[in-house]
Amino acid sequence: MSTKIQAETSSLRSTSFFLKEKAVPQQEIERVISDRFKDEEGKPVPFVLRAVSPARARELERLAQKPVKNGNGKTIGTEPDFDKIGDLMIIESCEFPDFSDAELIKSYGVRNAEQLLNTMLAIGEKLKLSNAVNEVNLINQEPMSDLVDDAKD
């Protein structure tokens, strides 16, 4: 390999690109999830979402386990409850509204944030919010080949 190519390759592979101070912070996003929630002027109120750290996502997964039973009905272990994981990720990512807000919970006559999420929103609204949560957490982004093509251009 020529010296010029080695120099270009090593400069492209510098760890310094990944230093914390050089990383662009993940931004909050705002998305209108429903036209049912309006401000004083009648404009739809956006939900404000932020990314969840991988460490916190693992904690949520540990919290969202359901029992596995054998043929006799005896619990023999646990497995992930993917519906609950999804709900917890939505609740954790949602800065506004705060699904654990006591006034909101009381308003809908439920006991906790999970019940509020599943009472307050229609199915389509929850799906739209779930898609926005995936977006803010960089889940299901463009395929890497598309990103590489964009970088080449």
Side-chain angles (χ1 to χ4, degrees), residues 18-131:
F18 298 96
L19 296 176
K20 185 176 181 177
E21 59 272 9
K22 288 194 175 186
V24 176
Q26 288 183 291
Q27 302 295 313
E28 289 181 345
I29 64 169
E30 293 185 6
R31 294 291 178 269
V32 173
I33 301 303
S34 174
D35 291 333
R36 295 186 310 119
F37 308 106
K38 299 182 181 198
D39 65 14
E40 301 83 25
E41 298 171 4
K43 296 177 185 169
V45 177
F47 283 53
V48 179
L49 305 163
R50 63 169 167 67
V52 174
S53 73
R56 181 62 180 147
R58 278 192 301 279
E59 288 176 33
L60 297 176
E61 288 175 17
R62 280 193 292 274
L63 292 172
Q65 297 292 309
K66 61 184 177 183
V68 174
K69 299 185 181 216
N70 66 13
N72 298 329
K74 182 179 178 185
T75 300
I76 57 171
T78 61
E79 66 183 9
D81 182 339
F82 294 108
D83 290 335
K84 184 170 180 137
I85 292 169
D87 286 355
L88 293 176
M89 282 295 293
I90 290 171
I91 291 164
E92 189 76 18
S93 293
C94 202
E95 287 261 318
F96 180 78
D98 178 357
F99 284 100
S100 59
D101 181 82
E103 183 179 8
L104 263 179
I105 289 171
K106 183 179 179 184
S107 168
Y108 282 87
V110 295
R111 291 177 292 187
N112 58 47
E114 285 178 76
Q115 290 178 349
L116 176 61
L117 171 67
N118 289 296
T119 302
M120 183 174 136
L121 300 178
I123 293 169
E125 293 167 339
K126 185 178 173 188
L127 179 59
K128 194 172 181 180
L129 181 55
S130 180
N131 289 337

